[in-house]
Amino acid sequence: MANLFGLSPQNISQYTRDGILRKEDTPVGKRYNVVKSTRAVIQYLLDKADGREGKDSQKSKKLEILNAEARIAQAKALLAEEEAQQLSGWPI
């Protein structure tokens, strides 16, 4: 697959982890279906070019991480505010 698409084996592994490519059970073990894989990569690249990456894309994962980090920072700020209020005895 890597040779077919001109990618590294690591790229193919990443596409598999991201769900873009899927291996199928065959009599000789798990293998990529060349036709399905080619269509999947073409569709992924078309979507990426149009700015419509799938929900499992790196972009959405990064956005999820940023949102989680923002929620953590918000929770820490609330906690710090409550602790400061308890120490001072005054509402902040």
Side-chain angles (χ1 to χ4, degrees), residues 4 7 11 28 30 39-40 42 46 49-50 53 56 74 76-79 81 85:
L4 174 67
L7 299 170
N11 291 123
V28 292
K30 290 190 175 264
R39 287 180 181 160
I42 290 170
L46 287 171
D50 273 348
E53 296 182 68
D56 291 330
Q74 201 171 27
K76 285 181 179 181
L78 286 172
L79 182 61
E81 186 178 320
Q85 185 179 11

Side-chain angles (χ1 to χ4, degrees), residues 78-88 92:
L78 286 172
L79 182 61
E81 186 178 320
E82 287 177 13
E83 288 175 351
Q85 185 179 11
Q86 287 177 355
L87 290 174
S88 70
I92 295 177

Side-chain angles (χ1 to χ4, degrees), residues 19-66:
I20 298 161
L21 294 175
R22 291 192 167 86
K23 289 185 177 182
E24 298 179 2
D25 288 323
T26 69
V28 292
K30 290 190 175 264
R31 301 284 189 261
Y32 294 103
N33 178 302
V34 176
V35 174
K36 288 180 183 178
S37 296
T38 303
R39 287 180 181 160
V41 170
I42 290 170
Q43 188 60 54
Y44 167 74
L45 294 173
L46 287 171
D47 289 348
K48 189 174 180 180
D50 273 348
R52 298 183 320 239
E53 296 182 68
K55 73 176 189 176
D56 291 330
S57 71
Q58 292 290 68
K59 198 176 217 178
S60 67
K61 286 179 185 177
K62 286 180 183 177
L63 184 58
E64 286 178 33
I65 291 169
L66 288 173

